[in-house]
Amino acid sequence: SQQGEEDPQALSIQEGENATMNCSYKTSINNLQWYRQNSGRGLVHLILIRSNEREKHSGRLRVTLDTSKKSSSLLITASRAADTASYFCATEEGAQKLVFGQGTRLTINP
Amino acid sequence: GAVVSQHPSWVICKSGTSVKIECRSLDFQATTMFWYRQFPKQSLMLMATSNEGSKATYEQGVEKDKFLINHASLTLSTLTVTSAHPEDSSFYICSVWRTYNEQFFGPGTRLTVL
């Protein structure tokens, strides 16, 4: 089952701008994770935010979590061409199984 | 960190043939591995949980007789797509769960069935 809905499905911005992606989920969570996938490749773990955290930073990444709204956002600041990829949120559905959102395809235009 | 490899990275086969995909944990002994499927421009869907030394656990709607999983050692899990058909064409990705919340994904295998 797909837990998360991501918004927007596709995003195209100019290099240097900020990119914001949103994710909503349905059930209670212990944590939420964000992954990046370059075209035709595997997934790379970006950041994990626990249910008792509201915001977390990692380099140019900023993740927020609102458990009351069951939503999370991923902000990439000062985007670069290399940030072009698909981004997925994922929640854990028991026994280490991850349920992924639909993903946002991000394109950074030079 | 853990490194996960998959082989082959891509495969093209004729309809009706079987295809085996390998997933290896290169620096970590994994009692559990996961197999996901991803159709073009879609998200990853968990297919099954591969358990070393025991039967795999399949997600609802995944045919266990069609997608055979063998986790014969702590570093190798194989997924065999039996009697493949064009609708099985997809990107298959495995993952290894190393510690709490730390999951590593393989590079994926693109299967095209003609």
Side-chain angles (χ1 to χ4, degrees), chain A residues 40-75:
Chain A
R41 306 292 293 275
L43 272 72
V44 174
H45 183 263
L46 295 177
I47 197 166
L48 177 150
I49 186 166
R50 302 186 191 284
S51 59
N52 61 352
E53 297 177 308
R54 291 296 168 260
E55 187 172 310
K56 198 163 183 178
H57 296 255
S58 177
R60 295 184 295 113
L61 305 180
R62 172 178 168 252
V63 168
T64 63
L65 179 65
D66 187 334
T67 53
S68 66
K69 296 181 180 179
K70 289 187 168 59
S71 67
S72 175
S73 68
L74 170 66
L75 168 67

Side-chain angles (χ1 to χ4, degrees), chain A residues 75-89:
Chain A
L75 168 67
I76 302 175
T77 60
S79 64
R80 305 168 181 169
D83 295 329
T84 294
S86 291
Y87 292 82
F88 296 91
C89 65

Side-chain angles (χ1 to χ4, degrees), chain A residues 7-65:
Chain A
D7 163 52
Q9 292 188 354
L11 178 63
S12 180
I13 61 174
Q14 295 299 120
E15 194 168 19
E17 295 180 340
N18 296 340
T20 300
M21 289 157 272
N22 302 296
C23 165
S24 61
Y25 56 92
K26 298 176 181 176
T27 62
S28 297
I29 61 171
N30 292 321
N31 60 72
L32 185 143
Q33 303 181 52
W34 284 91
Y35 288 84
R36 184 185 74 224
Q37 183 182 34
N38 290 86
S39 181
R41 306 292 293 275
L43 272 72
V44 174
H45 183 263
L46 295 177
I47 197 166
L48 177 150
I49 186 166
R50 302 186 191 284
S51 59
N52 61 352
E53 297 177 308
R54 291 296 168 260
E55 187 172 310
K56 198 163 183 178
H57 296 255
S58 177
R60 295 184 295 113
L61 305 180
R62 172 178 168 252
V63 168
T64 63
L65 179 65

Side-chain angles (χ1 to χ4, degrees), chain B residues 40-86:
Chain B
K41 296 187 179 180
Q42 293 188 27
S43 188
L44 282 76
M45 293 288 290
L46 179 65
M47 298 176 65
T49 302
S50 174
N51 304 298
E52 190 270 335
S54 65
K55 293 182 179 180
T57 305
Y58 291 83
E59 295 301 300
Q60 191 173 7
V62 178
E63 300 175 57
K64 61 181 65 177
D65 293 331
K66 181 168 185 63
F67 299 99
L68 302 179
I69 291 174
N70 185 0
H71 194 150
S73 77
L74 289 171
T75 59
L76 174 64
S77 175
T78 60
L79 168 67
T80 301
V81 183
T82 63
S83 186
H85 291 283

